[in-house]
Structure formats: C-alpha cells, structure tokens
Amino acid sequence: MKIGGITPLSLIDYPGRPAVVLFTVGCNLRCPYCHNAELVLQTGEEQLTEKEVFTHLASRVGLLDSLCITGGEPTIHTDLVEFIAEIKAMGLDVKLDTNGSKPKVLKELLSKELLDYVALDIKSSPERYREATGGRLDFEEVARTATLLKEAGVSYELRTTCVPGIVEIEDIAAVADMLGGVKRYVLQQFRATKTLDAAYTKVNPHPPVWFEKAKHLLLDSAEEIATRGI
C-alpha cells in the first residue's frame, strides 16, 4: 500500500463515529476540481510504511474502534484486500471511500465481510461523467457499483460534490432517475482550494438555496438525504 498520510482523529469522516483516517496515494481519475492533487499526482512528500500505520492503529485500539480509508483511490492498490483484512483482525470497523471504478475489488471486499461502511462518489449525470472525471470513467460502471452496494446489505452512502458547471440541478435530477432508491445520499459543498485544475479555484460554490432544491429532487430516491460542508 502507498500511504500518503494519516489523521489520528476525525469526527466527520465516519458518520456517527470518531475515526482514524488513512489516505492512500494515487488515483485513476483526474477530476479537475479535486482538492487532493498531491495524492492523485503522487507529488506529496509524506509517506508512511505499513508497519508505521499498524503501530499507530495498535496504539489507538481501545480508544477508537473505526478507520476510514480514503485517497486518492484506495481500490487501485492490489494489496488492499489483505491490508483491510489485517485491520479487521485488530477489531476495527472499516469505512471505504471509493470512486466506484473497481467494482470487482469492492465485490471481493464485501464478500469477505471486510467493510462496515462504504461511501461511493457519484460525480455527476451520465452526460457529464467523462468531463467530471477528466475523461476517465463512464457513469454506467459506477451505476453497477451502486447496484452492488444496494444488494450487499452493508451500510453505505452515495455522495456528490456539487461543483458548478459540472453538477447542476438537472444533473441531480438525472442521477435520481438513473439510480433509483438508495439508503443515504449526501450532497457535498465544493471547496475551491488546491484544485487539480487551477481554474476551479475561481469557481464560486453553489449557494445554500441550491442545495435545498437538490434535496427536494432526491426525496423519492433516497431514504435519507444529508448535506455536508454548506
């Protein structure tokens, strides 16, 4: 595993739980608005060994019982399954953040009961998906991953970072129509800082009233709707 950093305590990354957050290095997408460019492009200097990670986690057992693995994109790492299995053996619950591009990896993790919560990014509507991912992913593949989650019985959320020009009201409507009923949908505010494409640092985020309209469109498609970062 290529590990770029660790947050010893987060109160927002694992819903309802304090958790350690682990950042993996590298991503197979190039979303222009991404604010983790140093992880995506592998330019960050901080690298942790697996031994250092497990030493830290061992020191937290009994204090925290949850870990969030994010990135970058964790599922591009070929040793992810073995890595999470070792974490689970320590008695920790694991949340995985993923862009949904590797459904086979996710299916293996779910079949081995190695995940307790999954957050799946839905970047935009089918028409804008290639633009939203830097030309690297189609909506249909992520929709298959969403179906896998819905059938798995694991706790999960779908989430969309609402970037003006990439995610508009009509895109939320299209996503709601395409994905059908889901347990939880989270609409996240866009942060115009340290973006992969510097042009997005000049983009003004959607106002709060936009999110109220977007939530209304999801009422028939999600059992729970939340906003984050507004």
PDB file of all heavy atoms in Angstrom, residues 1 5 7 19 23 36 38 48-49 54 64 70 72 74 82 84 89 95 132 146 160 168 170 188 205 212 226:
ATOM      1  N   MET A   1       0.831  -1.198   0.000  1.00  0.00           N
ATOM      2  CA  MET A   1       0.000   0.000   0.000  1.00  0.00           C
ATOM      3  C   MET A   1       0.870   1.254   0.000  1.00  0.00           C
ATOM      4  O   MET A   1       1.853   1.337   0.734  1.00  0.00           O
ATOM      5  CB  MET A   1      -0.887   0.009   1.238  1.00  0.00           C
ATOM      6  CG  MET A   1      -1.956  -1.067   1.240  1.00  0.00           C
ATOM      7  SD  MET A   1      -3.276  -0.723   0.053  1.00  0.00           S
ATOM      8  CE  MET A   1      -3.998   0.720   0.778  1.00  0.00           C
ATOM      9  N   GLY A   5      -0.639   9.675   4.202  1.00  0.00           N
ATOM     10  CA  GLY A   5      -0.815  10.384   5.447  1.00  0.00           C
ATOM     11  C   GLY A   5      -1.877   9.750   6.322  1.00  0.00           C
ATOM     12  O   GLY A   5      -2.609   8.850   5.886  1.00  0.00           O
ATOM     13  N   THR A   7      -4.727  10.836   9.639  1.00  0.00           N
ATOM     14  CA  THR A   7      -5.331  11.765  10.585  1.00  0.00           C
ATOM     15  C   THR A   7      -5.707  10.971  11.825  1.00  0.00           C
ATOM     16  O   THR A   7      -6.555  10.068  11.746  1.00  0.00           O
ATOM     17  CB  THR A   7      -6.582  12.438   9.985  1.00  0.00           C
ATOM     18  OG1 THR A   7      -6.213  13.177   8.818  1.00  0.00           O
ATOM     19  CG2 THR A   7      -7.220  13.384  10.994  1.00  0.00           C
ATOM     20  N   ALA A  19     -13.030   8.526  14.239  1.00  0.00           N
ATOM     21  CA  ALA A  19     -12.275   7.540  13.473  1.00  0.00           C
ATOM     22  C   ALA A  19     -10.890   8.052  13.116  1.00  0.00           C
ATOM     23  O   ALA A  19     -10.645   9.265  13.028  1.00  0.00           O
ATOM     24  CB  ALA A  19     -13.021   7.182  12.190  1.00  0.00           C
ATOM     25  N   PHE A  23      -4.992   7.989   4.313  1.00  0.00           N
ATOM     26  CA  PHE A  23      -5.015   8.485   2.939  1.00  0.00           C
ATOM     27  C   PHE A  23      -4.074   7.653   2.067  1.00  0.00           C
ATOM     28  O   PHE A  23      -2.864   7.600   2.331  1.00  0.00           O
ATOM     29  CB  PHE A  23      -4.585   9.949   2.889  1.00  0.00           C
ATOM     30  CG  PHE A  23      -5.515  10.886   3.604  1.00  0.00           C
ATOM     31  CD1 PHE A  23      -5.346  11.138   4.958  1.00  0.00           C
ATOM     32  CD2 PHE A  23      -6.551  11.504   2.942  1.00  0.00           C
ATOM     33  CE1 PHE A  23      -6.191  12.001   5.633  1.00  0.00           C
ATOM     34  CE2 PHE A  23      -7.410  12.377   3.597  1.00  0.00           C
ATOM     35  CZ  PHE A  23      -7.230  12.619   4.949  1.00  0.00           C
ATOM     36  N   ASN A  36      -7.333  17.095  -3.559  1.00  0.00           N
ATOM     37  CA  ASN A  36      -6.243  16.253  -3.056  1.00  0.00           C
ATOM     38  C   ASN A  36      -5.224  15.963  -4.157  1.00  0.00           C
ATOM     39  O   ASN A  36      -4.802  14.828  -4.362  1.00  0.00           O
ATOM     40  CB  ASN A  36      -6.798  14.934  -2.504  1.00  0.00           C
ATOM     41  CG  ASN A  36      -7.384  15.089  -1.119  1.00  0.00           C
ATOM     42  OD1 ASN A  36      -7.017  15.993  -0.381  1.00  0.00           O
ATOM     43  ND2 ASN A  36      -8.307  14.217  -0.760  1.00  0.00           N
ATOM     44  N   GLU A  38      -2.092  16.445  -4.471  1.00  0.00           N
ATOM     45  CA  GLU A  38      -0.811  15.848  -4.091  1.00  0.00           C
ATOM     46  C   GLU A  38      -0.918  14.328  -3.947  1.00  0.00           C
ATOM     47  O   GLU A  38       0.054  13.606  -4.185  1.00  0.00           O
ATOM     48  CB  GLU A  38      -0.286  16.476  -2.796  1.00  0.00           C
ATOM     49  CG  GLU A  38      -1.067  16.140  -1.537  1.00  0.00           C
ATOM     50  CD  GLU A  38      -2.323  16.960  -1.358  1.00  0.00           C
ATOM     51  OE1 GLU A  38      -2.649  17.772  -2.247  1.00  0.00           O
ATOM     52  OE2 GLU A  38      -3.001  16.781  -0.325  1.00  0.00           O
ATOM     53  N   LEU A  48       4.073   6.918   4.595  1.00  0.00           N
ATOM     54  CA  LEU A  48       4.128   6.075   5.784  1.00  0.00           C
ATOM     55  C   LEU A  48       4.243   4.620   5.361  1.00  0.00           C
ATOM     56  O   LEU A  48       3.639   4.198   4.385  1.00  0.00           O
ATOM     57  CB  LEU A  48       2.862   6.258   6.630  1.00  0.00           C
ATOM     58  CG  LEU A  48       2.586   7.651   7.174  1.00  0.00           C
ATOM     59  CD1 LEU A  48       1.233   7.671   7.877  1.00  0.00           C
ATOM     60  CD2 LEU A  48       3.671   8.083   8.134  1.00  0.00           C
ATOM     61  N   THR A  49       5.019   3.861   6.094  1.00  0.00           N
ATOM     62  CA  THR A  49       5.095   2.432   5.828  1.00  0.00           C
ATOM     63  C   THR A  49       3.900   1.748   6.481  1.00  0.00           C
ATOM     64  O   THR A  49       3.267   2.279   7.403  1.00  0.00           O
ATOM     65  CB  THR A  49       6.390   1.834   6.408  1.00  0.00           C
ATOM     66  OG1 THR A  49       6.339   1.925   7.846  1.00  0.00           O
ATOM     67  CG2 THR A  49       7.613   2.568   5.879  1.00  0.00           C
ATOM     68  N   PHE A  54       0.280   0.309  11.195  1.00  0.00           N
ATOM     69  CA  PHE A  54      -0.244  -0.672  12.139  1.00  0.00           C
ATOM     70  C   PHE A  54       0.228  -0.387  13.568  1.00  0.00           C
ATOM     71  O   PHE A  54      -0.496  -0.661  14.527  1.00  0.00           O
ATOM     72  CB  PHE A  54       0.135  -2.079  11.701  1.00  0.00           C
ATOM     73  CG  PHE A  54      -0.674  -2.560  10.522  1.00  0.00           C
ATOM     74  CD1 PHE A  54      -0.065  -2.818   9.300  1.00  0.00           C
ATOM     75  CD2 PHE A  54      -2.040  -2.739  10.637  1.00  0.00           C
ATOM     76  CE1 PHE A  54      -0.814  -3.242   8.218  1.00  0.00           C
ATOM     77  CE2 PHE A  54      -2.793  -3.160   9.559  1.00  0.00           C
ATOM     78  CZ  PHE A  54      -2.182  -3.411   8.344  1.00  0.00           C
ATOM     79  N   LEU A  64     -10.307   4.242  19.935  1.00  0.00           N
ATOM     80  CA  LEU A  64     -11.158   4.365  18.759  1.00  0.00           C
ATOM     81  C   LEU A  64     -11.401   2.974  18.182  1.00  0.00           C
ATOM     82  O   LEU A  64     -10.549   2.093  18.280  1.00  0.00           O
ATOM     83  CB  LEU A  64     -10.494   5.246  17.690  1.00  0.00           C
ATOM     84  CG  LEU A  64     -10.258   6.721  18.046  1.00  0.00           C
ATOM     85  CD1 LEU A  64      -9.474   7.397  16.938  1.00  0.00           C
ATOM     86  CD2 LEU A  64     -11.576   7.435  18.273  1.00  0.00           C
ATOM     87  N   THR A  70      -9.347   6.399   2.648  1.00  0.00           N
ATOM     88  CA  THR A  70      -9.729   7.295   1.576  1.00  0.00           C
ATOM     89  C   THR A  70      -8.514   7.569   0.712  1.00  0.00           C
ATOM     90  O   THR A  70      -7.508   6.880   0.813  1.00  0.00           O
ATOM     91  CB  THR A  70     -10.350   8.585   2.161  1.00  0.00           C
ATOM     92  OG1 THR A  70     -10.877   9.395   1.111  1.00  0.00           O
ATOM     93  CG2 THR A  70      -9.357   9.380   2.986  1.00  0.00           C
ATOM     94  N   GLY A  72      -6.942  10.234  -2.892  1.00  0.00           N
ATOM     95  CA  GLY A  72      -6.640   9.153  -3.811  1.00  0.00           C
ATOM     96  C   GLY A  72      -7.811   8.203  -3.995  1.00  0.00           C
ATOM     97  O   GLY A  72      -8.939   8.473  -3.641  1.00  0.00           O
ATOM     98  N   PRO A  74      -8.400   4.221  -3.053  1.00  0.00           N
ATOM     99  CA  PRO A  74      -7.844   3.021  -2.415  1.00  0.00           C
ATOM    100  C   PRO A  74      -7.923   1.752  -3.266  1.00  0.00           C
ATOM    101  O   PRO A  74      -7.027   0.903  -3.183  1.00  0.00           O
ATOM    102  CB  PRO A  74      -8.701   2.879  -1.143  1.00  0.00           C
ATOM    103  CG  PRO A  74      -9.181   4.264  -0.857  1.00  0.00           C
ATOM    104  CD  PRO A  74      -9.406   4.880  -2.197  1.00  0.00           C
ATOM    105  N   GLU A  82      -5.880  -7.597   1.440  1.00  0.00           N
ATOM    106  CA  GLU A  82      -5.050  -8.132   2.521  1.00  0.00           C
ATOM    107  C   GLU A  82      -4.813  -7.081   3.599  1.00  0.00           C
ATOM    108  O   GLU A  82      -4.798  -7.392   4.799  1.00  0.00           O
ATOM    109  CB  GLU A  82      -3.710  -8.623   1.965  1.00  0.00           C
ATOM    110  CG  GLU A  82      -3.808  -9.845   1.060  1.00  0.00           C
ATOM    111  CD  GLU A  82      -4.300  -9.523  -0.337  1.00  0.00           C
ATOM    112  OE1 GLU A  82      -4.338  -8.304  -0.694  1.00  0.00           O
ATOM    113  OE2 GLU A  82      -4.652 -10.460  -1.067  1.00  0.00           O
ATOM    114  N   ILE A  84      -6.802  -4.519   4.455  1.00  0.00           N
ATOM    115  CA  ILE A  84      -8.009  -4.329   5.261  1.00  0.00           C
ATOM    116  C   ILE A  84      -8.268  -5.543   6.145  1.00  0.00           C
ATOM    117  O   ILE A  84      -8.717  -5.405   7.293  1.00  0.00           O
ATOM    118  CB  ILE A  84      -9.218  -4.015   4.367  1.00  0.00           C
ATOM    119  CG1 ILE A  84      -9.029  -2.655   3.693  1.00  0.00           C
ATOM    120  CG2 ILE A  84     -10.514  -4.029   5.177  1.00  0.00           C
ATOM    121  CD1 ILE A  84     -10.169  -2.237   2.786  1.00  0.00           C
ATOM    122  N   ALA A  89      -8.699  -7.648  11.622  1.00  0.00           N
ATOM    123  CA  ALA A  89      -8.225  -8.586  12.641  1.00  0.00           C
ATOM    124  C   ALA A  89      -7.857  -7.874  13.942  1.00  0.00           C
ATOM    125  O   ALA A  89      -7.788  -8.509  15.002  1.00  0.00           O
ATOM    126  CB  ALA A  89      -7.019  -9.366  12.114  1.00  0.00           C
ATOM    127  N   LYS A  95     -14.441   1.864   7.131  1.00  0.00           N
ATOM    128  CA  LYS A  95     -15.203   2.588   6.107  1.00  0.00           C
ATOM    129  C   LYS A  95     -14.292   2.816   4.912  1.00  0.00           C
ATOM    130  O   LYS A  95     -13.129   3.215   5.074  1.00  0.00           O
ATOM    131  CB  LYS A  95     -15.694   3.924   6.630  1.00  0.00           C
ATOM    132  CG  LYS A  95     -16.327   4.838   5.563  1.00  0.00           C
ATOM    133  CD  LYS A  95     -16.781   6.145   6.200  1.00  0.00           C
ATOM    134  CE  LYS A  95     -17.352   7.106   5.171  1.00  0.00           C
ATOM    135  NZ  LYS A  95     -16.301   7.908   4.512  1.00  0.00           N
ATOM    136  N   ALA A 132     -16.477  15.204 -15.717  1.00  0.00           N
ATOM    137  CA  ALA A 132     -16.266  15.268 -14.270  1.00  0.00           C
ATOM    138  C   ALA A 132     -15.063  14.454 -13.812  1.00  0.00           C
ATOM    139  O   ALA A 132     -14.485  14.734 -12.762  1.00  0.00           O
ATOM    140  CB  ALA A 132     -17.517  14.794 -13.545  1.00  0.00           C
ATOM    141  N   ALA A 146     -22.943   0.941  -7.674  1.00  0.00           N
ATOM    142  CA  ALA A 146     -24.047   1.346  -6.794  1.00  0.00           C
ATOM    143  C   ALA A 146     -25.030   0.204  -6.607  1.00  0.00           C
ATOM    144  O   ALA A 146     -25.515  -0.040  -5.495  1.00  0.00           O
ATOM    145  CB  ALA A 146     -24.746   2.572  -7.371  1.00  0.00           C
ATOM    146  N   THR A 160     -22.267  13.229  -3.737  1.00  0.00           N
ATOM    147  CA  THR A 160     -21.901  14.044  -4.897  1.00  0.00           C
ATOM    148  C   THR A 160     -21.333  15.371  -4.419  1.00  0.00           C
ATOM    149  O   THR A 160     -21.961  16.071  -3.614  1.00  0.00           O
ATOM    150  CB  THR A 160     -23.128  14.312  -5.785  1.00  0.00           C
ATOM    151  OG1 THR A 160     -23.621  13.068  -6.302  1.00  0.00           O
ATOM    152  CG2 THR A 160     -22.762  15.218  -6.951  1.00  0.00           C
ATOM    153  N   GLU A 168     -25.160  20.493 -11.890  1.00  0.00           N
ATOM    154  CA  GLU A 168     -26.245  21.462 -11.814  1.00  0.00           C
ATOM    155  C   GLU A 168     -27.525  20.735 -11.403  1.00  0.00           C
ATOM    156  O   GLU A 168     -27.537  19.509 -11.267  1.00  0.00           O
ATOM    157  CB  GLU A 168     -26.412  22.181 -13.159  1.00  0.00           C
ATOM    158  CG  GLU A 168     -25.181  22.966 -13.609  1.00  0.00           C
ATOM    159  CD  GLU A 168     -24.855  24.163 -12.705  1.00  0.00           C
ATOM    160  OE1 GLU A 168     -25.729  24.562 -11.893  1.00  0.00           O
ATOM    161  OE2 GLU A 168     -23.727  24.692 -12.794  1.00  0.00           O
ATOM    162  N   GLU A 170     -30.178  19.988 -12.971  1.00  0.00           N
ATOM    163  CA  GLU A 170     -30.617  18.960 -13.916  1.00  0.00           C
ATOM    164  C   GLU A 170     -29.791  17.680 -13.800  1.00  0.00           C
ATOM    165  O   GLU A 170     -30.281  16.579 -14.097  1.00  0.00           O
ATOM    166  CB  GLU A 170     -30.570  19.487 -15.352  1.00  0.00           C
ATOM    167  CG  GLU A 170     -29.208  19.928 -15.856  1.00  0.00           C
ATOM    168  CD  GLU A 170     -28.925  21.402 -15.639  1.00  0.00           C
ATOM    169  OE1 GLU A 170     -29.540  21.992 -14.731  1.00  0.00           O
ATOM    170  OE2 GLU A 170     -28.093  21.956 -16.390  1.00  0.00           O
ATOM    171  N   GLN A 188     -22.434  17.265  -1.167  1.00  0.00           N
ATOM    172  CA  GLN A 188     -21.281  17.925  -0.554  1.00  0.00           C
ATOM    173  C   GLN A 188     -20.981  19.259  -1.226  1.00  0.00           C
ATOM    174  O   GLN A 188     -21.044  19.368  -2.456  1.00  0.00           O
ATOM    175  CB  GLN A 188     -20.038  17.035  -0.655  1.00  0.00           C
ATOM    176  CG  GLN A 188     -20.185  15.705   0.040  1.00  0.00           C
ATOM    177  CD  GLN A 188     -18.899  14.899   0.030  1.00  0.00           C
ATOM    178  OE1 GLN A 188     -18.643  14.124   0.943  1.00  0.00           O
ATOM    179  NE2 GLN A 188     -18.087  15.052  -1.005  1.00  0.00           N
ATOM    180  N   PRO A 205     -18.865  28.481  -5.265  1.00  0.00           N
ATOM    181  CA  PRO A 205     -19.711  27.340  -4.903  1.00  0.00           C
ATOM    182  C   PRO A 205     -21.197  27.663  -5.017  1.00  0.00           C
ATOM    183  O   PRO A 205     -21.605  28.828  -4.971  1.00  0.00           O
ATOM    184  CB  PRO A 205     -19.320  27.063  -3.446  1.00  0.00           C
ATOM    185  CG  PRO A 205     -17.977  27.695  -3.275  1.00  0.00           C
ATOM    186  CD  PRO A 205     -17.978  28.892  -4.168  1.00  0.00           C
ATOM    187  N   GLU A 212     -31.043  23.128  -1.222  1.00  0.00           N
ATOM    188  CA  GLU A 212     -32.426  22.827  -0.843  1.00  0.00           C
ATOM    189  C   GLU A 212     -33.212  22.312  -2.040  1.00  0.00           C
ATOM    190  O   GLU A 212     -34.007  21.370  -1.929  1.00  0.00           O
ATOM    191  CB  GLU A 212     -33.093  24.070  -0.254  1.00  0.00           C
ATOM    192  CG  GLU A 212     -32.524  24.498   1.097  1.00  0.00           C
ATOM    193  CD  GLU A 212     -32.593  23.374   2.122  1.00  0.00           C
ATOM    194  OE1 GLU A 212     -33.656  22.727   2.234  1.00  0.00           O
ATOM    195  OE2 GLU A 212     -31.571  23.148   2.808  1.00  0.00           O
ATOM    196  N   ALA A 226     -28.650  14.085   3.136  1.00  0.00           N
ATOM    197  CA  ALA A 226     -27.864  14.952   4.010  1.00  0.00           C
ATOM    198  C   ALA A 226     -27.026  15.893   3.168  1.00  0.00           C
ATOM    199  O   ALA A 226     -26.768  15.644   1.977  1.00  0.00           O
ATOM    200  CB  ALA A 226     -26.956  14.102   4.915  1.00  0.00           C
TER     201      ALA A 226
END
